[in-house]
Amino acid sequence: MESKKALATTRKVIRCRGFIYLFFCILVKKSLLHEITPPCFFGFSSFFMIYQAAAIGRKPGVPLSIEEIEVDPPKAWEVRIKILCTSLCHSDITFWKLTAGPAAIFPRIFGHEAAGVVESVGEYVEEVREGDLVVPVFQENCGECRDCKSTKSNTCTKFGINYRVDMPRDGTSRFRDMNGEIVHNFLRVSSFTEYTVVDITHVVKITSEMPHDKACLLGCGVSTGVGAAFKVAGVEEGSTVAIFGLGTVGLAVAEGARLCKASKIIGVDLNPEKFELGKKFGVTDFINPAECGEQTIRQVIKEMTDGGADYCFECIGLASAMEDAFSSSREGWGKTVILGVDRIDQALSLNCYEILRGKSVSGSLFGGIKPKTDIPLLAQKYVDKELHLDDFITHQVNFQDINKAFELLLEGKSLRCIIWMDQ
């Protein structure tokens, strides 16, 4: 009798499990057909692998291919994010072109400027939850180490010296193509995909009032320039500024200097069209090095600023431009902030006497921005109509046309091209 009751109970359990399994199979099928998304799994989505589209870079310099991939569920301390929109940065182009060296890794999902919503979270994640609007960032910010707790820098001792290719804690990827081959991560973000998995140290929650396309600009270039002005340099009201290179980062420096109420913001660029564009971000004067005649750039800037700019910013990535920026700064307190990166074997030559007389040079990674605290601040400044972001967006494409964004940036026709995932 007892064995019959036990058998009957077992059959009920099996039937119950069977219905549950069938129920979730239907949900998964509908998810794959895009009829529903994993957040509808009533809190269980963090247990499921999902299949979504991604733009994969398989060979250096070759257009990305849109493919279906497997995206693993988040592990402990990780967040799976549904990407809403993303943008293309010059860093993506640089790594996409690499043909040799430890950073030339393929296949890979590029992209590191994006905005998305949290789809699911792994164990121990408490600061974000499903549905939150977030910006994934390449710069780590654990909030626990000595550097993260200090106001002196934005480096992170806990994860900052970690050179793992994929996830920062275990070095493995959360992506595979449909043949089971590993697809590698890029700068801890990999935003050229419908869903990505990011360590919580690289996830920043922002106000839901922030427009998604403007939010993704805060993930790299714009924050780098704005932060360099108000965090690294500390531009004061009434000061003079010279910016070498008016690309996205240089224009963002101008915007940061404008916010700091600099009295004169000089843009230095070989492209005369950049002056009209620069005016939208606060540039007051323009110098084309090709039109300086017998004078050097430093001579022109010193004449314009009565002895040299209080703050100079190098945003090109050339040692020669860094030297010009340093020489154009004011004796006694002039500060030069270097945001560009030249070849690793390229030396920088500075006049020791000028340093003795009070000039200084500072490097700047991500504009000194501490992601967890400073990016929400910048987002709020945009919402409050203080920070100007709209004119950084020059083009928009849908995800299927992502290679068009590459063409526009390579041709020098765009600052930031927004890539919409669902359009």
Side-chain angles (χ1 to χ4, degrees):
M1 179 66 73
E2 290 182 1
S3 62
K4 287 183 179 180
K5 288 183 179 180
L7 179 60
T9 301
T10 302
R11 285 174 175 170
K12 289 181 181 178
V13 171
I14 291 173
R15 283 198 296 271
C16 181
R17 288 178 177 174
F19 282 125
I20 292 173
Y21 177 75
L22 178 61
F23 173 69
F24 278 108
C25 282
I26 292 171
L27 288 178
V28 171
K29 181 179 179 181
K30 287 181 177 293
S31 173
L32 296 180
L33 294 174
H34 301 281
E35 294 178 23
I36 64 171
T37 56
C40 296
F41 287 172
F42 310 105
F44 289 96
S45 60
S46 60
F47 296 101
F48 287 89
M49 176 197 306
I50 57 178
Y51 297 83
Q52 296 294 330
I56 301 178
R58 291 201 169 273
K59 294 181 179 179
V62 175
L64 308 185
S65 59
I66 305 293
E67 304 177 27
E68 187 175 51
I69 63 166
E70 299 175 353
V71 183
D72 286 341
K75 294 184 178 181
W77 308 108
E78 294 177 358
V79 180
R80 191 158 62 186
I81 301 170
K82 175 180 172 59
I83 299 296
L84 301 173
C85 60
T86 181
S87 54
L88 181 65
C89 172
H90 276 285
S91 296
D92 297 305
I93 297 286
T94 298
F95 283 88
W96 170 66
K97 286 181 174 182
L98 289 179
T99 58
I105 300 168
F106 296 89
R108 199 173 207 176
I109 298 173
F110 292 98
H112 64 287
E113 290 186 346
V117 293
V118 175
E119 178 267 341
S120 58
V121 300
E123 192 177 7
Y124 308 126
V125 174
E126 298 179 350
E127 64 184 86
V128 297
R129 61 182 181 179
E130 287 87 345
D132 284 344
L133 179 63
V134 295
V135 173
V137 293
F138 73 92
Q139 180 72 12
E140 48 281 310
N141 188 184
C142 75
E144 301 171 353
C145 68
R146 180 183 178 187
D147 291 270
C148 283
K149 291 180 179 179
S150 170
T151 60
K152 296 180 180 179
S153 86
N154 64 340
T155 59
C156 175
T157 314
K158 187 173 182 179
F159 293 101
I161 55 175
N162 188 332
Y163 297 106
R164 285 173 171 159
V165 172
D166 295 304
M167 300 302 289
R169 296 178 195 262
D170 64 10
T172 62
S173 175
R174 302 293 173 264
F175 308 121
R176 287 176 302 282
D177 65 17
M178 298 313 293
N179 294 318
E181 182 182 6
I182 293 294
V183 180
H184 294 288
N185 188 280
F186 178 65
L187 293 182
R188 309 285 191 254
V189 176
S190 287
S191 60
F192 294 166
T193 173
E194 291 180 304
Y195 285 81
T196 189
V197 179
V198 182
D199 191 275
I200 187 59
T201 57
H202 295 264
V203 178
V204 179
K205 180 181 176 180
I206 61 171
T207 173
S208 59
E209 298 178 69
M210 186 70 176
H212 301 155
D213 54 342
K214 312 306 185 302
C216 76
L217 298 178
L218 301 179
C220 185
V222 172
S223 293
T224 296
V226 173
F230 84 87
K231 293 210 69 174
V232 180
V235 174
E236 308 101 341
E237 182 176 355
S239 57
T240 56
V241 171
I243 305 166
F244 289 71
L246 293 180
T248 297
V249 174
L251 291 171
V253 171
E255 175 64 12
R258 182 192 67 80
L259 285 173
C260 294
K261 300 181 180 179
S263 62
K264 186 183 287 290
I265 303 173
I266 304 168
V268 181
D269 202 288
L270 288 168
N271 183 351
E273 295 179 3
K274 291 293 182 72
F275 186 32
E276 288 303 314
L277 180 61
K279 289 179 180 179
K280 297 179 180 180
F281 300 98
V283 174
T284 59
D285 300 87
F286 183 78
I287 299 174
N288 184 339
E291 298 176 355
C292 289
E294 297 182 358
Q295 287 187 302
T296 62
I297 296 176
R298 66 194 71 176
Q299 289 173 331
V300 174
I301 290 177
K302 286 184 176 181
E303 286 182 4
M304 295 173 67
T305 57
D306 189 26
D310 298 316
Y311 300 97
C312 290
F313 298 85
E314 197 282 335
C315 307
I316 302 171
L318 291 173
S320 57
M322 298 172 194
E323 292 164 8
D324 282 334
F326 177 76
S327 299
S328 301
S329 64
R330 187 175 186 82
E331 185 177 289
W333 65 70
K335 184 172 185 176
T336 300
V337 179
I338 297 175
L339 293 92
V341 182
D342 205 337
R343 299 192 320 270
I344 194 169
D345 61 342
Q346 181 64 54
L348 179 62
S349 178
L350 302 177
N351 187 306
C352 295
Y353 181 74
E354 290 186 87
I355 293 177
L356 180 67
R357 296 284 293 174
K359 289 187 178 184
S360 63
V361 179
S362 175
S364 174
L365 176 64
F366 199 31
I369 291 290
K370 283 184 179 292
K372 303 279 189 180
T373 53
D374 292 329
I375 288 181
L377 176 64
L378 293 177
Q380 192 59 52
K381 282 185 177 295
Y382 176 82
V383 171
D384 294 340
K385 303 186 184 304
E386 297 177 30
L387 179 64
H388 180 196
L389 296 177
D390 296 34
D391 286 316
F392 284 107
I393 300 174
T394 54
H395 299 81
Q396 302 188 49
V397 300
N398 61 48
F399 186 45
Q400 297 297 321
D401 296 325
I402 189 170
N403 288 303
K404 179 65 176 178
F406 278 71
E407 294 172 10
L408 289 168
L409 193 58
L410 288 168
E411 293 170 1
K413 295 179 179 179
S414 74
L415 290 175
R416 282 296 184 266
C417 178
I418 300 298
I419 302 157
W420 292 96
M421 306 307 289
D422 292 333
Q423 294 183 9

